[in-house]
Amino acid sequence: MRKDRLYFFTFLAIAIIFAIIGGITAQYFVRISTDQLLSTQLESSKREAKEVASLIENQLENGISKEIIIENVQETIQSTHEESGFISIMDWGGKSICHPENQQRGTQIGFNQSISMAIDSEIGSEDFYNLLTGGKGSDLSDQNLSSEKQRTGILYIYPIKNSDWLVAAHANFSKMSSQIKTLRNRFYTLFSIVGFIVILTSVIAVRLIGSLYEKKLETKNEELESEVINLAKLNNDLGKYQKRVEEATKTEKEVDKNDQGANEKNKKQSDSGKKRILTYLRNELLPIAIDDIAYIYTEHTITYVVDVRGKKSTTNSSLDELYSGLDSSFFYRANRQFIIAISAIEKIIRYSNSQLKILVNPNSEVDIIIGKNKAAEFKQWLNL
């Protein structure tokens, strides 16, 4: 259940982040593409107006009458107002001479101020965009339109030499708005599809990575559980072994009191003649009974002997010498630094890399670590 919630929140977080980033990016690309589209339309309208003006100038220079020129131009531009851009011809007074819509011919367009603006200033893509959105500069729109659906505006005006005519380049705002809307919808659709693919791919990737991690985690948990069980068994057997040692020691003492023969383990000590070892406490000689030794260790080339009461003294013998005189049933050489008595072991815990850490009583200031290679030998020593 927690995994499902985690994946759901991951999906939700990725979706929100992509929606924010994708929305901002889509708006940016839409605006850039819109500017490019409007700039292209502006350049196309200017070029068309200049070409038409140049053509009419040549016809006037060749002596062709204005009536014929008007007829030819009107026939050429007829019904072109449905396109995104078209041209018309008017005089300096704002009277329409040629227009794609016949009903507009001869009408007063009412663009005296607009004509002045178009001649004196250059309309850029930003002004064009404001015209489309009804923002600043919208006064350039035609004011005698038959309906709102066919809004048009003059983008560029070019005078015809040797005449009182002007060539006006118009933009069909509703057509341009429709193109921009289509462009915007395509961008948002594209980003939605890409977003869905990215989010789905991300969630699947997170799911796969999570599954691999969970498998590794489960494997580690199983290994940890196995080690915990083994440690529990090890500590349990340690307790049993310590109990057997205590019982054996108690029996040996009773046998010694009654002057009876020692058992096999006691014979090893008798044969070696080691009942105690001689240590030093400051300048005082201190003999310590073998049964009272908790552990022996070396530090900075000094050998310390710690008894069951925590009293620490030193000896001139090395660990190798001491261990050779001790009963291996009661003492174990944990490593090159420590010899520990079975009775002093309090607990066995797991250490890194399959190593074991021995906790003793009295507590040792130095960690007692049994390496990976000696762990099996230590378990065998405990009769596992």
Side-chain angles (χ1 to χ4, degrees):
M1 187 65 181
R2 290 181 180 179
K3 296 178 185 177
D4 294 336
R5 291 182 63 184
L6 176 62
Y7 293 137
F8 172 75
F9 285 124
T10 301
F11 171 81
L12 191 62
I14 296 174
I16 292 174
I17 293 172
F18 187 88
I20 295 173
I21 297 176
I24 296 173
T25 306
Q27 289 182 1
Y28 173 77
F29 277 112
V30 167
R31 187 55 191 271
I32 293 296
S33 300
T34 300
D35 286 342
Q36 185 66 33
L37 177 64
L38 298 181
S39 297
T40 303
Q41 184 62 44
L42 279 171
E43 293 300 324
S44 176
S45 298
K46 291 178 183 180
R47 183 172 61 253
E48 186 177 10
K50 290 178 181 180
E51 289 175 354
V52 171
S54 178
L55 179 62
I56 294 176
E57 289 173 5
N58 291 332
Q59 290 179 349
L60 290 173
E61 290 177 357
N62 292 329
I64 301 175
S65 65
K66 291 184 177 181
E67 290 77 10
I68 295 176
I69 293 174
I70 291 172
E71 294 264 342
N72 292 336
V73 172
Q74 181 62 37
E75 184 179 353
T76 302
I77 66 174
Q78 184 68 33
S79 300
T80 56
H81 61 284
E82 297 292 340
E83 300 175 1
S84 58
F86 62 91
I87 64 169
S88 70
I89 299 176
M90 60 185 177
D91 59 22
W92 283 93
K95 181 179 179 181
S96 177
I97 298 174
C98 294
H99 198 279
E101 293 182 274
N102 283 324
Q103 61 268 29
Q104 297 290 342
R105 295 180 64 185
T107 60
Q108 190 70 27
I109 298 178
F111 274 121
N112 292 330
Q113 183 180 0
S114 301
I115 292 171
S116 177
M117 291 179 64
I119 293 176
D120 296 338
S121 61
E122 190 80 12
I123 296 177
S125 60
E126 186 70 26
D127 300 317
F128 196 177
Y129 185 79
N130 289 330
L131 288 174
L132 291 174
T133 57
K136 183 179 178 181
S138 60
D139 56 334
L140 293 179
S141 301
D142 292 344
Q143 298 180 16
N144 61 341
L145 300 178
S146 58
S147 66
E148 279 295 313
K149 293 183 179 180
Q150 292 296 325
R151 288 189 310 119
T152 61
I154 296 176
L155 302 179
Y156 185 70
I157 295 175
Y158 192 82
I160 301 174
K161 294 179 182 179
N162 302 321
S163 71
D164 60 347
W165 293 348
L166 299 169
V167 178
H170 297 252
N172 188 333
F173 288 170
S174 44
K175 184 75 173 180
M176 294 297 298
S177 297
S178 176
Q179 291 179 358
I180 293 173
K181 185 178 180 181
T182 302
L183 181 67
R184 183 172 57 248
N185 291 338
R186 286 178 179 176
F187 266 109
Y188 283 127
T189 301
L190 177 63
F191 271 92
S192 299
I193 295 172
V194 172
F196 176 77
I197 294 173
V198 170
I199 293 171
L200 183 61
T201 305
S202 300
V203 171
I204 293 174
V206 170
R207 189 70 180 266
L208 291 175
I209 295 172
S211 299
L212 293 175
Y213 177 76
E214 287 170 6
K215 288 181 180 179
K216 291 183 179 179
L217 191 61
E218 288 176 1
T219 303
K220 288 184 178 179
N221 288 336
E222 290 176 358
E223 293 176 355
L224 184 60
E225 288 177 2
S226 177
E227 289 181 0
V228 169
I229 293 172
N230 290 335
L231 284 175
K233 183 180 179 182
L234 191 62
N235 282 285
N236 183 50
D237 289 333
L238 172 64
K240 293 179 180 179
Y241 189 26
Q242 287 175 333
K243 188 175 180 181
R244 289 200 304 268
V245 170
E246 289 176 1
E247 291 176 353
T249 303
K250 185 177 179 181
T251 302
E252 289 173 2
K253 288 180 179 179
E254 290 177 355
V255 170
D256 287 338
K257 285 181 181 180
N258 297 324
D259 293 326
Q260 296 177 356
N263 59 20
E264 184 178 350
K265 291 183 180 179
N266 195 39
K267 283 181 181 179
K268 290 184 180 180
Q269 285 191 353
S270 298
D271 294 337
S272 63
K274 287 272 188 178
K275 294 290 185 178
R276 59 186 62 81
I277 61 176
L278 188 63
T279 64
Y280 298 90
L281 184 60
R282 299 183 185 88
N283 295 324
E284 178 185 354
L285 288 174
L286 181 66
I288 299 179
I290 298 296
D291 293 341
D292 290 337
I293 297 175
Y295 52 89
I296 307 170
Y297 71 99
T298 60
E299 188 175 27
H300 305 302
T301 69
I302 301 175
T303 303
Y304 296 94
V305 179
V306 181
D307 65 13
V308 293
R309 291 172 293 277
K311 192 173 183 179
K312 184 164 64 173
S313 56
T314 63
T315 179
N316 294 329
S317 302
S318 65
L319 285 186
D320 292 334
E321 293 172 348
L322 292 172
Y323 188 65
S324 63
L326 297 174
D327 189 347
S328 60
S329 299
F330 302 111
F331 292 91
Y332 181 73
R333 182 72 180 270
N335 49 47
R336 287 184 291 182
Q337 189 180 6
F338 270 91
I339 297 173
I340 52 176
I342 184 66
S343 58
I345 299 176
E346 189 174 60
K347 187 181 293 185
I348 304 169
I349 62 176
R350 178 180 177 269
Y351 204 64
S352 61
N353 297 327
S354 302
Q355 295 177 335
L356 300 175
K357 183 176 180 179
I358 309 301
L359 302 181
V360 292
N361 184 26
N363 185 42
S364 171
E365 297 177 356
V366 182
D367 290 340
I368 306 174
I369 306 299
I370 297 179
K372 181 179 179 181
N373 297 330
K374 293 201 69 174
E377 179 187 299
F378 177 69
K379 294 176 182 178
Q380 187 177 2
W381 179 71
L382 292 177
N383 291 329
L384 296 183

